[in-house]
């Protein structure tokens, strides 16, 4: 594929116009795009667009009950955010076991979600808080926007509902209520610099003095990051006693459909899903 | 009167001499070399594991603009290379593994060379392949080399005493099969070379070789250049660990392209290529039968091993030399027999790798030591001590332990780690008797090692040359044959010289990177450099010292015995009174009537002997011992092993550079840990599944355990200032200590490696 | 041929401009175009850290970065760490502590160490280990690298708490 144009737009408007032809490959941090293109796993398009210079898309803010994170926010930004460690420490936990310092300094939230790896670490905590993704495009000259819940965003490995003309601009979610507790566990032998063999997230809140789990999510255990619907159902409104936790960790195995690859067999991934779910639930109980 | 106290540099923390150029990025590695008009080379490798080459068409590649040469086997002298001389640099008739070199290109840029490769057409006719060495031994197995219809390039047999008698003497006999896996060196600097011919047909190779002088002789027929016309320059080497001991096809290919184009040619691997096409540690299947008497005396060992040689023979095939030593001589065993069959397969082939077979041997022997101890109800330490070698011993294999700190290593490592108490306590918990709560179990394991520490006489000579000159400012240039691959040999050599000549370390330069200047040496291997090159340098310096003192004595009208060299001065030996500055003394020699320069040379040949036909003999001038205790945690629900602490006690003879030796131990521990718990080159039907750091897991900084190091100084009588070689030792026994610790923690004994989480969990859960 | 683009940036304090293919990574530009070969190529996949450089003061893997993205930025490579006065305190400690063996990982380690120190934060040994988790070393077992960084951390007064009498 010959590249006809390279651009590094500085405004969202410019960016979405460049995308409107539907023939662009964009990169933000480039930590996925660069190695993938080098290895031939991803093709260049006629337009190569550097999205990293677009103003206004990097940063973490809170407006009322809503927390907004710009798509260009780096993993380091997340890791070092006081706002996030106060309100959603589980997202910071995920950022902490992400790649290496150098990669975290470059890798963006938007890139992590749009690359749509089943193992994308930041997707798991965002599934736990029902994040919404703001997608922007240029519709015949007029800026256009739509919002997609994260649970609908991923379609298949490397595939999302993003259209070729669209870009992810923001991730938005309600600041969790007080009494919210969550846990993210990424399986690996190292603190970071590891692609998850399996990752598990659980979150819950206190209602009527009872802490109960409301969300469960899994990474690298299915073609996309997924919610653990069966596990959630089982746990709904229930006190986290040992028997419940045990039952939930078995249910978790029914939620997942892992594959076998060099990082682990399907059998092993299932074992890990059970163990890590159990551990995560114990941690928040 | 100025008085200068006697100082010593031995045992001091002298900073590494080439440190400044490495911390500033100034050091030049092969990857950094650029010569005018240089071309770039790429190799086309086989896409089949075993196939006949029917046709190679390079015409389209040749026509690509920017391509200067395309070569195939037809353009080479056709002389095979490698330890087994069974590996032509470019394959003509057939390919035997996926890494096989089929054609090569030199072009204006790497990109063009890459594109040219994609234009080369090769037609193959697939042949049946074989990947399991046991299957390759069957009568109807595919034949890999026509010259060896049985697929067996080598066998080794060794015996001492009478194993039958040993068996009759035993109260307990156990037998196990151990299986060791593929791992690879992962030097951070990938493989590469730059070659250039001058107008007079002299060849200069910028090479990463660890053996510059043997290299010349070995490569000469393959490229058809007389050895005396080859100059080897060794830029900084981005890690060796044995991987650069043999010649591999890429180097002659680079040279042949330089000759074909009459231009300098550079060839460097990508990281993926480094994984796919560099040597590995040899996978071994080892069946071990051992016996013991009730009183804890070892009676016999009977060992049979099958080595997966891969498709060609490099040094990996000769590791039985070292395996035998550990089996026969780490502990006292009266009766021993050992048989090895080295088998060709269509797998990657193995070279030499730090420890050279000893990781595999020690894994088996030290696993069995624990099992035997348990069988006779002794604790693992007492059992080992009872059977440990002692100083002065000559083993049945003919090794003479002029110094031997094994018992002291054992007791030191055990005491410092609290081994005996912890071992008893953890084993009660682990077996679920006294309830060590939770899924995470703790264990400790112990293992020892024996390795050559004074070279290894595998050639007729195991020597090293030194030339030394002192200029008229008192600056010393040491030209040594010993190569530096990161281990710090240049610093240690400078220390020996500075010590003899009473000079600061900053007055010494070491030249070790150009075969045009440096005297002969056998190469960096067998942990020999400190010992052999150190002895050589020390002796050359002593000659210079004698010369200087004799001249000073004449000048000062004193006797040489009354004088000493300290801090760049000639002093009185007794009072330290400074009498004459060294530079002045040297200048006065230049201007004397019978003028002279101070220049000396030494060739040190260790007193070791080659093994006889039965593999017996005192093959090294010194032997190194060590014991390591590993404390770890096993997560029995995920299979993750976390190494918490390594207590290492090593018989190093004498510490020469305290930081350098710590660095060798720390690096060796990391490498040994990788072998034990994380590194696994996955080879499926000859295809490497994980040729990247993402999935081939080197140990990273956060995984490093606490390391508690102890140096046992046995002052080897032959070693330079008493030192022994320890380059390989620290990596050797960790894996054995790890499996012993895992057994201590869980009651489950592993007989294969690596203990990666999934493999551990499968075993703990009995899941096939 | 890939599309090329002229870019302008600072490297080790000097203004530079080069024309690079838009598909090229910053590592290739630094080594092969700018001839700053101190930055090492260990994997070109972001896994080894040998190629660590600072971009606007932040450490990144040059091999993961598009060279064109250097436009307008301020790059520091290992060649920019030694000052006219000599080795930086961290470089000195690398030498003194034997944090260097073969030296191939060293430029990347020094760059990441320099970045960690520039963060002006107290760090435990665990923090330092995590700080260099993206830098592989096959020789040293990391201990002495950690010691060198820890040494520099305690030797340099952190910003805001410089000694009053200096
Ligand atoms: C060594 C290494 C280690 C890694 N470790 C981890 C890890 O531990 N966990 C993990 O989850 N990932 C890991 N990754 C993967 C990668 O770093 C992350 O996915 C990262 O977040 C991608 O962000 P980026 O900005 O670099 O994406 P880019 O490479 O720039 O882009 C990735 C994809 O997203 C698209 N894209 C980027 N931004 C947008 C946007 N705003 N709107 C629409 N599309 C967009 C691009 O077109 C591309 O398809 C690792 C990668 C490397 C090289
Ligand atoms: S070369 Fe960039 S991380 Fe390895
Ligand atoms: S010093 Fe050799 S890789 Fe680090």
């Amino acid at each position: 594929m010959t590249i006809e144009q390279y651009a590094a737009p500085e405004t969202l408007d410019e960016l979405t116009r460049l995308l409107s032809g539907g023939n662009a490959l964009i990169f933000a941090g480039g930590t996925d795009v660069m190695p993938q293109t080098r290895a031939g796993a991803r093709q260049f398009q006629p337009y190569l667009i550097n999205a990293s210079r677009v103003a206004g898309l990097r940063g973490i803010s809170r407006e009322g009950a809503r927390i907004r994170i710009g798509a260009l926010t780096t993993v380091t930004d997340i890791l070092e955010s006081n706002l996030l460690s106060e309100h959603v420490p589980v997202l910071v936990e995920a950022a902490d076991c992400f790649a290496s310092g150098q990669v975290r300094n470059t890798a963006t939230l938007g890139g992590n979600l749009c690359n749509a790896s089943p193992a994308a670490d930041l997707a798991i905590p965002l599934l736990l808080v029902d994040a919404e993704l703001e997608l922007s495009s240029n519709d015949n000259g007029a800026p256009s926007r739509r919002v997609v819940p994260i649970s609908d965003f991923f379609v298949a490995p490397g595939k999302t509902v993003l259209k070729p003309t669209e870009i992810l601009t923001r991730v938005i979610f309600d600041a969790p209520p007080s009494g919210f507790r969550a846990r993210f566990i990424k399986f690996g032998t190292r603190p970071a610099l590891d692609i998850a063999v399996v990752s598990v997230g659980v979150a819950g809140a206190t209602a009527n003095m009872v802490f109960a789990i409301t969300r469960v999510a899994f990474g690298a255990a299915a073609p996309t990051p997924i919610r653990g619907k069966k596990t959630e159902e089982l746990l709904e409104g229930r006190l986290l006693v040992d028997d419940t936790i045990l039952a939930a960790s078995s249910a978790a195995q029914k939620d997942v459909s892992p594959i076998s690859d060099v990082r682990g067999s399907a059998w092993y991934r299932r074992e890990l899903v059970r163990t890590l779910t159990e551990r995560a639930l114990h941690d928040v109980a | 009167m100025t008085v200068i106290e006697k100082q010593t540099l031995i045992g001091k923390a002298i900073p590494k001499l080439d440190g400044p150029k490495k911390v500033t990025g100034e050091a030049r590695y092969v990857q950094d070399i650029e010569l005018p008009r240089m071309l770039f080379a790429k190799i086309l490798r086989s896409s089949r594991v075993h196939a006949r080459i029917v046709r190679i068409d390079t015409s389209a590649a040749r026509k690509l603009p920017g391509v200067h040469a395309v070569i195939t086997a037809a353009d080479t002298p056709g002389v095979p290379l490698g330890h087994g001389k069974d590996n032509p640099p470019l394959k003509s008739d057939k390919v035997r593994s996926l890494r096989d070199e089929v054609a090569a290109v030199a072009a204006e840029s790497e990109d063009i060379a890459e594109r040219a490769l994609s234009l080369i057409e090769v037609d193959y006719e697939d042949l049946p392949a074989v990947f399991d060495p046991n299957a390759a031994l069957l009568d109807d197995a595919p034949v890999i080399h026509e010259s060896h219809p049985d697929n067996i390039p080598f066998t080794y047999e060794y015996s001492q005493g009478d194993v039958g008698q040993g068996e009759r003497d035993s109260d307990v006999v156990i037998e196990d099969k151990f299986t060791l896996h593929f791992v690879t060196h992962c030097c951070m600097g990938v493989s590469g070379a730059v070659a250039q011919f001058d107008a007079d047909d002299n060849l200069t190779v910028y090479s990463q070789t660890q053996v510059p002088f043997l290299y010349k002789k070995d490569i000469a027929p393959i490229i058809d250049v007389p050895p005396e016309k080859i100059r080897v320059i060794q830029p900084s080497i981005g890690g060796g660990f044995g991987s650069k001991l043999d010649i591999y096809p890429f180097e002659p290919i680079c040279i042949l392209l330089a000759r074909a184009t009459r231009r300098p040619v550079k060839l460097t691997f990508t990281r993926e290529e480094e994984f796919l096409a560099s040597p590995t540690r040899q996978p071994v299947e080892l069946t071990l039968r051992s016996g013991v008497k009730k009183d804890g005396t070892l009676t016999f060992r009977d060992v049979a091993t099958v080595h997966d040689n891969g498709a060609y023979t490099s040094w990996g095939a000769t590791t039985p030399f070292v395996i035998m030593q550990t089996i026969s001589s780490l502990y006292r065993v009266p009766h021993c027999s050992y048989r090895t069959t080295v088998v060709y397969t269509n797998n990657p082939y193995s070279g030499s790798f730090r420890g050279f077979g000893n990781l595999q041997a020690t894994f088996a022997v030290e696993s069995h030591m624990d099992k035997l101890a348990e069988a006779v109800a002794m604790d693992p330490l007492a059992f080992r001590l009872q059977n440990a070698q002692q100083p002065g011993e000559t083993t049945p294999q003919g090794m003479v332990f002029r110094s031997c700190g094994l018992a002291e290593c054992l007791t030191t490592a055990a005491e410092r780690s609290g081994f005996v108490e912890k071992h008893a306590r953890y084993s009660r918990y682990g077996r679920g008797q006294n309830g060590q709560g939770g899924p995470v179990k703790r264990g400790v394991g112990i293992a020892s090692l024996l390795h050559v520490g004074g070279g290894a006489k595998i050639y007729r000579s195991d020597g090293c040359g030194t030339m030394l000159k002192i200029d008229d400012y008192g600056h010393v240039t040491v030209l040594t044959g010993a190569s530096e691959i990161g281990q710090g040999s240049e610093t240690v050599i400078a220390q020996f010289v500075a010590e003899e000549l009473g000079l600061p370390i900053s007055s010494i330069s070491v030249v070790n990177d150009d075969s045009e200047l440096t005297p002969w040496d056998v190469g960096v291997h067998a942990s020999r450099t400190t010992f052999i090159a150190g002895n050589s340098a020390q002796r050359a310096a002593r000659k210079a010292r004698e010369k200087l003192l004799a001249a000073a004595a004449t000048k000062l009208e004193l006797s040489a015995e009354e004088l000493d060299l300290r801090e760049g001065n000639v002093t009185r030996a007794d009072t330290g009174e400074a009498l004459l500055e060294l530079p002045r003394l040297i200048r006065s020699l230049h201007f004397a009537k019978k003028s002279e320069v101070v220049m000396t040379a030494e060739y040190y040949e260790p007193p070791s002997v080659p093994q006889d036909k039965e593999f017996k003999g005192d093959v090294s001038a010194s032997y190194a011992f060590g014991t390591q205790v590993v404390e770890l945690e096993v997560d029995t629900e995920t299979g993750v092993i976390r190494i918490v602490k390594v207590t290492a006690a090593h018989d190093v003879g004498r510490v020469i550079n305290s930081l350098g030796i710590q660095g060798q131990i720390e690096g060796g521990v990391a490498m040994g840990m990788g072998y034990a718990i994380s590194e696994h080159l996955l080879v499926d039907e000859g295809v490497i599944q994980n040729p990247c750091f993402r999935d081939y897991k080197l140990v990273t900084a956060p995984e490093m355990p606490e390391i508690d190091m102890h140096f046992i100084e046995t002052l080897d009588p032959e070693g330079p200032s008493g030192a022994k070689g320890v380059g390989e030792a620290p990596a050797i026994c960790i894996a054995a200590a790890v499996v012993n610790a895992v057994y201590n923690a869980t009651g489950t004994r592993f007989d294969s490696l690596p203990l990666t989480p999934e493999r551990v969990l499968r075993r703990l859960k009995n899941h096939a | 041929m890939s599309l090329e683009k002229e870019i302008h940036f600072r490297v080790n304090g000097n203004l530079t401009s080069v024309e690079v293919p838009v598909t090229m990574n910053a590592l290739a530009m630094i080594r092969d175009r700018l001839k700053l070969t101190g930055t090492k190529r260990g994997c070109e996949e972001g896994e080894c850290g040998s190629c660590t450089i600072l971009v606007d003061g932040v450490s990144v893997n040059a091999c993961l970065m598009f060279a064109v993205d250097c436009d307008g930025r301020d790059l520091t490579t290992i060649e920019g760490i030694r000052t006219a006065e000599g080795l930086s305190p961290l470089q000195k400690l690398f030498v003194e502590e034997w944090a260097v063996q073969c030296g191939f990982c060293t430029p990347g380690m020094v760059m990441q160490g320099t970045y960690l120190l520039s963060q002006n934060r107290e760090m435990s040994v665990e923090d330092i280990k995590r700080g260099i988790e993206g830098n592989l070393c096959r020789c040293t077992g990391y201990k002495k690298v950690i010691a060198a960084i820890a040494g520099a951390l305690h030797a340099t007064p952190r910003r805001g708490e410089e000694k009053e009498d200096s």
Side-chain angles (χ1 to χ4, degrees), chain B residues 441-462:
Chain B
K441 312 272 186 210
R442 241 182 209 246
V444 280
I446 193 166
S448 295
L449 72 98
L450 153 71
H451 203 70
V452 292
K457 200 155 278 181
I458 47 174
Y459 304 101
R460 272 208 309 280
S461 166
D462 190 26

Side-chain angles (χ1 to χ4, degrees), chain B residues 533-599:
Chain B
N535 260 321
S536 177
Q538 197 172 54
R539 285 161 198 231
R542 258 179 217 154
K543 285 185 182 166
R545 176 189 171 87
E546 279 160 22
K547 201 162 177 177
L548 290 168
L549 288 180
T554 314
K555 203 173 160 69
L556 297 165
E557 299 184 345
L558 290 163
S559 78
E561 291 72 48
E562 288 173 278
L563 299 174
D564 196 4
L565 298 174
R566 297 181 190 175
E567 291 183 27
N569 288 273
V570 180
T571 67
R572 275 191 190 278
D574 49 0
T575 62
E577 181 190 345
L579 302 172
L580 179 61
E581 286 170 6
L582 196 62
R584 284 191 47 203
L585 172 66
I586 295 164
R587 284 195 293 269
S588 74
L589 286 175
H590 294 171
F591 296 110
K593 252 207 210 93
K594 213 177 132 252
S595 51
E596 252 197 291
V597 289
V598 184
M599 206 144 89

Side-chain angles (χ1 to χ4, degrees), chain A residues 15 19 25-36 42 51 57 71-72 75 94 97-100 103 106-117 119-122 162 166-169 186 192-196, chain B residues 694, chain C residues 45-48 61 64 66:
Chain A
L15 172 62
L19 293 183
L25 171 62
I26 53 175
F27 69 86
T31 63
D32 280 319
V33 171
M34 178 51 83
Q36 289 167 1
R42 182 193 285 259
L57 293 187
L72 294 177
V75 182
C97 39
F98 195 105
S100 62
V103 174
T106 320
T108 65
L109 169 61
N112 193 234
L113 298 178
C114 297
N115 186 58
S117 157
D121 283 327
L122 301 180
L162 264 179
E166 274 178 329
I167 143 152
L168 169 65
T169 38
K186 171 174 170 177
L193 201 72
D194 224 348
I195 301 300
Chain B
R694 179 170 291 200
Chain C
E45 292 172 334
E47 297 280 342
C48 77
N61 302 105
L64 294 179
F66 280 85

Side-chain angles (χ1 to χ4, degrees), chain B residues 273-290:
Chain B
E273 210 173 2
E274 183 77 9
F275 271 107
L276 297 177
S278 26
T280 66
R281 194 185 286 290
Q282 52 294 334
V284 173
E285 198 183 275
L286 191 155
T287 308
L288 174 59
R289 248 152 50 82
S290 315

Side-chain angles (χ1 to χ4, degrees), chain B residues 131-165:
Chain B
F131 309 103
D132 171 358
N134 291 309
L137 289 172
L138 300 177
D139 283 346
D140 56 350
V143 173
I144 306 209
H145 288 269
E146 270 58 43
S147 55
H148 294 85
D150 56 1
N151 288 332
I152 303 178
F154 293 95
T155 58
Y156 296 81
E157 265 188 56
Y158 167 80
S159 86
Q160 69 191 38
D162 171 4
V163 164
Q165 184 58 46

Side-chain angles (χ1 to χ4, degrees), chain B residues 188 238-239 241, chain C residues 99-106 136-140:
Chain B
M188 293 313 293
F241 315 113
Chain C
V100 180
Q101 287 188 29
C102 84
F104 201 85
C105 70
T106 307
L136 296 177
C137 173
R138 192 51 153 166
C139 303
T140 65

Side-chain angles (χ1 to χ4, degrees), chain B residues 14 16 22-23 29 31-32 34 184-185 188 237 271 486 659 662-663 666-667 679 694 699 704-705, chain C residues 31 35 38 40 42 45 47 78 87 91 96 98 100-104 129 138-144:
Chain B
I14 307 294
K16 190 157 161 38
K22 286 177 172 170
V23 298
Y29 297 78
Q31 293 82 359
D32 308 330
E34 190 174 282
T184 185
H185 302 73
M188 293 313 293
I237 297 176
R271 175 56 62 184
L659 290 171
Q662 288 166 15
E666 290 160 353
E679 293 178 35
R694 179 170 291 200
V699 171
M704 280 307 286
Chain C
R31 285 182 55 83
K35 309 292 179 195
K40 297 296 176 230
E45 292 172 334
E47 297 280 342
I78 187 69
L87 301 182
Q91 286 176 318
E96 283 163 18
W98 270 73
V100 180
Q101 287 188 29
C102 84
F104 201 85
K129 284 184 172 180
R138 192 51 153 166
C139 303
T140 65
Y142 307 100
K143 293 280 178 186
K144 304 215 176 298

